[in-house]
């Protein structure tokens, strides 16, 4: 299965991505995790990304496209993958199209996790307390939600038009949402 998971910050993408990846025995690739690992290691990329991430902005498309092209070229992605947090912009959609075209493969589905804004802000405040991510400050949360609305949510229409969008409610217990996702994606897997 070749999958994307999309949804606003705080929708639970990272948590669900891990369960989905296990279910389909594919790697979950989080571009946010890759960037955070670079920040932790103090690499040149990490030094560049740190400030942008802390402010809630987006790291440049060229950088992100390069990271994802390299990661998808690794052996474990031959059996499929789940991309979490990428693509976030239209140029990133074009880049992933090109990467997959060149490899002669296609996406099977794009999962959209739907959660309303009030619920999201309250979840992110709780995460700020428990995980201490520096992009979970009140201001950064607001910037990230707005960036998602302006730049990333239009991508849902692109994938809807391609007939790839699978929409699932992200509200409820984590395990309840996981079950809902499995049901929706298992239908895609049997159809393909
Ligand atoms: P995430 O863990 O997916 O919420 O990502 C955390 C932060 O990393 C985002 O707020 C962005 O600053 C940056 N980031 C992650 N993925 C991307 C991407 N595809 N394009 C641009 N910035 C990204």
């Amino acid at each position: 299965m070749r999958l994307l998971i999309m949804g606003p910050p705080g929708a639970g993408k990272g948590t669900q991505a891990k369960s989905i990846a296990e279910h389909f025995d594919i790697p979950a690739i989080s571009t946010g995790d890759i960037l955070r690992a670079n920040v932790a290691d103090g690499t040149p990329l990490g030094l560049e990304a740190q400030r942008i991430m802390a402010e809630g902005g987006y790291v440049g498309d060229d950088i992100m496209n390069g990271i994802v092209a390299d990661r998808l070229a690794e052996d474990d992605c031959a059996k499929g993958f789940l991309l979490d947090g990428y693509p976030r912009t239209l140029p990133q959609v074009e880049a992933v199209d090109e990467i997959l075209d060149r490899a002669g493969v296609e996406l099977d589905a794009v999962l959209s996790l739907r959660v309303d804004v009030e619920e999201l802000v309250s979840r992110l405040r709780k995460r700020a307390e428990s995980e201490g991510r520096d992009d979970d400050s009140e201001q950064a949360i607001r910037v990230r939600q707005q960036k998602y609305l302006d730049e990333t949510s239009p991508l849902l229409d692109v994938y809807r038009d391609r007939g790839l969008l699978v929409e699932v409610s992200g509200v409820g217990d984590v395990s309840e949402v996981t079950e809902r996702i499995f049901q929706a994606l298992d239908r895609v897997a049997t159809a393909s």
Side-chain angles (χ1 to χ4, degrees):
M1 289 282 271
R2 294 181 190 84
L3 303 169
L4 309 182
I5 182 166
M6 297 187 57
K13 295 189 296 291
T15 307
Q16 296 300 340
K18 290 193 184 79
S19 303
I20 299 165
E22 216 169 281
H23 185 70
F24 289 111
D25 190 25
I26 50 177
I29 301 167
S30 155
T31 46
D33 281 353
I34 293 173
L35 292 171
R36 280 185 287 277
N38 276 274
V39 171
D41 292 347
T43 66
L45 166 62
L47 294 176
E48 195 175 334
Q50 189 165 25
R51 185 188 47 81
I52 301 171
M53 292 171 76
E55 288 171 357
Y58 283 177
V59 174
D61 288 330
D62 289 348
I63 294 176
M64 297 313 303
N65 296 341
I67 290 174
V68 170
D70 288 349
R71 183 62 188 86
L72 291 182
E74 287 180 32
D75 290 345
D76 61 339
C77 294
K79 58 184 172 186
F81 55 80
L82 169 64
L83 276 174
D84 160 17
Y86 180 98
R88 264 177 155 96
T89 64
L90 283 169
Q92 292 182 14
V93 169
E94 286 164 21
V96 78
D97 283 348
E98 256 180 58
I99 294 168
L100 298 181
D101 265 4
R102 250 182 278 130
V105 295
E106 288 182 350
L107 289 173
D108 293 293
V110 176
L111 179 73
S112 162
L113 258 191
R114 303 183 63 96
V115 179
D116 70 41
V117 175
E118 296 307 311
E119 169 83 16
L120 290 173
V121 174
S122 116
R123 284 188 191 183
L124 286 169
R125 282 209 194 100
K126 282 189 199 132
R127 186 169 78 182
E129 282 162 24
S130 62
E131 289 181 26
R133 269 176 56 161
D134 59 2
D135 58 351
D136 280 341
S137 71
E138 194 77 31
Q139 171 64 12
I141 288 174
R142 232 172 293 130
V143 173
R144 283 161 65 220
Q145 294 295 345
Q146 195 58 47
K147 274 203 93 68
Y148 177 81
L149 281 178
D150 294 345
E151 295 188 41
T152 304
S153 66
L155 309 192
L156 295 174
D157 291 330
V158 172
Y159 289 119
R160 186 179 291 112
D161 288 350
R162 295 186 191 179
L164 287 173
L165 200 67
V166 174
E167 296 189 273
V168 171
S169 164
V171 179
D173 288 347
V174 170
S175 58
E176 224 176 282
V177 177
T178 307
E179 205 39 53
R180 239 176 259 152
I181 293 173
F182 287 174
Q183 281 183 13
L185 290 180
D186 283 346
R187 272 196 294 274
V188 173
T190 24
S192 63

